[in-house]
Structure formats: structure tokens, C-alpha cells
Amino acid sequence: MPLGDTSSYSSGHSILVATTRQRDARPGTYFNGERAAHLNYAEIEVGVPGSHVPGKIELAAKAPGNPKTDFVVERAAYLESENKFIDALNAELSKRPAGSRKVLLFIHGYNTMFAEGLYRLTQVVHDSRAPGVPVLFTWASRGKVAQYVYDTNSATAARDDLDRTIRLIFASHAEQVNILAHSMGNWVTVEALRQIKISGRLPPMRKLGLVVLAAPDIDIDVFKSQMRSFGKPNKPFYIIVSKDDKALRASNFIAGGQTRLGAVKNTAELAQLGAVVVDMTDVKGNDSANHGKFAELAELGPELPSVLAGGIGDASPAQAPGEVRSSLANIVTSPVRLLGGTVKVIRNR
């Protein structure tokens, strides 16, 4: 992921990074898939090409990439302490007006190298035009299909560090903190949130916005146990599922046939636990495994920041059935049509 010539791209995004990965001295690599003894931090500017297609990541065929056609890194710097990380976060927040100082924290999934997680967050933020400050928490995945057990253990080992990162963000000048996790990243995310809950040392939870669990690679029975620790949350978790997710079918096989949360068929049961289920089964995926469909929600364009950075409120019961609704509150009450199909939303009323 070397720095490219960024003299011509559509826009750049400053991504703050907290990671349990080791630093990597190879030019343009920054972090590898091995576990570090402590958290590392960085700030990276990523450029998105003018030819970008929403929902996709245009990877360079050859380093350092062409800014007219590829995602490229414009600038990158390690941050040498958590204080430097918080200073950088507060500096980004200060660029936004009061009332808009929000953070989007993204935790990637299994089989994901550092650059892949960085570019996926950039794609989501760019396509949705989400106004929040993007923060990537990246744990030590080796980015190889055969390293599932290593990745699982890496995610588990990262619980305390994600707990610490969440607390740091909540202690910043952020007015709202929204969390988006994907695949195995949901395991470490829900575990960290559970850990915070049972610690009795809660951060200012009024700052918590949306918690989105996309294609979660979590045993369904484990998730039910975790939810019992939370109790019915004041703000529901939003769980994005797809019954044709091939990656979760493989995970199901490795786990001895135990259903994964992101491929669960009984969505009504999840709704009864206090979750809002976003079923994307009928949406055509951009990846062959149908595991990254959540990124395609960016097709909702300028309304998506209401979900990713602003939260979702209930639709007004006084609204007439045929009335056009401009708010993304609609996503939790009726089907939403994307370019690739229809999203169905199930919630307990």
C-alpha cells in the first residue's frame, strides 16, 4: 500500500487507526498480520478516484496505484501514544460544527489485511458521505482463509484493546459515537461492549449512537447469552443478515454446524431480543461470497449518514401509508429498494 501520486482524485479522507497489529517496516505496508504487545496508532489520508463505483473498492493492480482509477494513500504517519491519538481525533472533531461532532468506529472481519480494512472504511464513508470522523480499529488478522483459528484468537485477544479504544473515543470531544462491525469483528465488538457493561465503569453512554453488526460471525447461542448480559438495550443493535452468505456457511461448518448470527433464519427471534434485523438476502452481492453486502447500503446516498452517523428514530405513526418519507427512519419500518434488490427490515413492535 505505497503512497501514490495523488495529484488527481475526487476526494481524500483522513482515517484514524487504532490497532493490535505489529508495525511493518516494509515501504507502504504500515501494519502486518502479527499481534503486537500493545496498541499502535496512526493517521492515514486515503484518496478515492473520480471513477469510483459505489459499493466497490478499486484496488491498484500495481503499486503505488493510479489516483485516477485506484484507491491510494496520500499521507500516513504513526501516532506515538494514545494521547497523540486523542489529540488527532479532537483536532478532526473540531473541524466540524457543534452538533455534528460524531465518530464512526469500524471493526473489520476475518481474513482482512490492514489495507483491506482501511479501504473498506474509506469506501463506506465516501459513498455515504457520512460526516463523522472515521476511526478504524484493526485487529491482527493474517488475511488468509486458512488462518481462521488464528484470526479467531486474535479477535478474542483484542477485546481489552477495543474496550480501551472505545473508552478513549467516548472520553474525546465526540458528541456521538457510532459503531459498525463486520463479520468476525462483531465477536470482538460485542465482547468488548459486554465487558464494558459488566465492569460497572460505564463511559458516558448518552454519546452512544448506532451499533450496526454486519454479517456477524458469532454463534447464535453465544449472542443470545451476550444479549442477556446487556438486557434489552435502550437503543437497539442493528443486525445485517443474508441467508446466502457463503463465508458464514463455511464458518458454520468449522464451528460444528452451529448457526452464525449473520445467517440466522429466525429473524423474528432476534427482534424479540431487542435487535432490528436488516435482511439483505434479496440484494445481489458485489463479492462472490455475499459476505460484504453491508457496504452496498451506501447506495442510499445522502440519507445513509442518518444511519451511520446520526442514528435512526422511529417513523411517525401519524404518517399516511402512502406518504413519501425522506428520513432514513423508514429503513426500520418497511422494505428499502437498492440497485441490487430489496432490503427487508424486521423489528419487534
Side-chain angles (χ1 to χ4, degrees):
M1 192 177 56
L3 274 65
D5 173 8
T6 57
S7 59
S8 175
Y9 58 80
S10 63
S11 59
H13 300 274
S14 182
I15 311 292
L16 289 169
V17 177
T19 181
T20 60
R21 296 176 185 267
Q22 290 182 7
R23 291 186 181 184
D24 196 308
R26 290 175 294 175
T29 305
Y30 308 113
F31 300 103
N32 58 37
E34 301 306 304
R35 301 168 191 156
H38 54 80
L39 274 167
N40 280 297
Y41 304 98
E43 185 172 15
I44 299 180
E45 189 88 12
V46 181
V48 178
S51 58
H52 168 67
V53 176
K56 296 185 178 181
I57 299 173
E58 288 81 9
L59 294 175
K62 182 180 179 181
N66 182 344
K68 295 181 180 179
T69 57
D70 310 321
F71 278 60
V72 295
V73 172
E74 178 187 23
R75 180 180 60 85
Y78 293 122
L79 301 173
E80 298 300 335
S81 68
E82 69 176 33
N83 286 337
K84 295 291 186 182
F85 171 77
I86 288 299
D87 287 346
L89 176 56
N90 285 332
E92 286 296 316
L93 288 165
S94 70
K95 297 175 183 178
R96 288 137 173 96
S100 298
R101 292 168 185 162
K102 302 171 184 178
V103 171
L104 173 60
L105 174 63
F106 176 59
I107 304 94
H108 65 74
Y110 153 68
N111 186 25
T112 301
M113 293 300 290
F114 172 68
E116 294 171 311
L118 177 70
Y119 289 156
R120 176 58 73 193
L121 175 55
T122 302
Q123 173 264 312
V124 169
V125 170
H126 180 84
D127 290 353
S128 66
R129 298 189 286 283
V133 178
V135 177
L136 171 66
F137 181 86
T138 173
W139 47 277
S141 167
R142 282 181 173 161
K144 297 179 180 178
V145 173
Q147 295 290 328
Y148 186 89
V149 174
Y150 174 87
D151 276 18
T152 300
N153 291 332
S154 290
T156 302
R159 287 177 298 187
D160 289 351
D161 291 308
L162 180 54
D163 178 327
R164 179 61 181 164
T165 300
I166 291 172
R167 291 181 186 276
L168 288 174
I169 294 172
F170 270 82
S172 75
H173 298 160
E175 298 163 333
Q176 186 179 85
V177 181
N178 300 285
I179 299 173
L180 170 63
H182 179 232
S183 188
M184 192 179 286
N186 288 279
W187 163 247
V188 62
T189 299
V190 178
E191 279 292 286
L193 292 174
R194 175 182 178 275
Q195 189 166 293
I196 290 170
K197 172 73 173 180
I198 66 178
S199 72
R201 298 180 297 105
L202 297 179
M205 297 307 290
R206 68 182 183 280
K207 291 187 176 184
L208 182 63
L210 200 68
V211 178
V212 179
L213 310 180
D217 188 359
I218 306 176
D219 183 302
I220 183 62
D221 293 327
V222 171
F223 181 72
K224 291 176 184 177
S225 174
Q226 291 167 324
M227 289 302 291
R228 284 194 288 270
S229 296
F230 285 107
K232 193 165 185 176
N234 293 329
K235 295 181 179 179
F237 287 0
Y238 292 82
I239 303 175
I240 300 176
V241 305
S242 184
K243 299 179 183 69
D244 61 352
D245 190 320
K246 297 175 185 176
L248 292 183
R249 286 180 192 168
S251 178
N252 176 294
F253 176 78
I254 293 170
Q258 292 298 109
T259 300
R260 315 318 285 170
L261 177 60
V264 69
K265 292 181 172 59
N266 188 357
T267 51
E269 184 178 17
L270 297 181
Q272 289 170 0
L273 291 173
V276 172
V277 182
V278 181
D279 188 344
M280 297 188 70
T281 302
D282 293 336
V283 175
K284 186 178 183 300
N286 275 331
D287 63 304
S288 59
N290 296 319
H291 192 51
K293 291 184 181 182
F294 76 100
E296 296 171 52
L297 287 173
E299 289 179 15
L300 294 169
E303 291 186 325
L304 186 58
S306 300
V307 176
L308 295 180
I312 296 178
D314 290 323
S316 169
Q319 212 160 15
E323 186 176 347
V324 176
R325 305 175 186 180
S326 61
S327 168
L328 232 298
N330 185 36
I331 195 171
V332 297
T333 58
S334 68
V336 176
R337 178 159 291 281
L338 301 180
L339 295 180
T342 300
V343 178
K344 299 174 184 175
V345 184
I346 303 96
R347 74 183 306 163
N348 190 33
R349 294 186 178 280

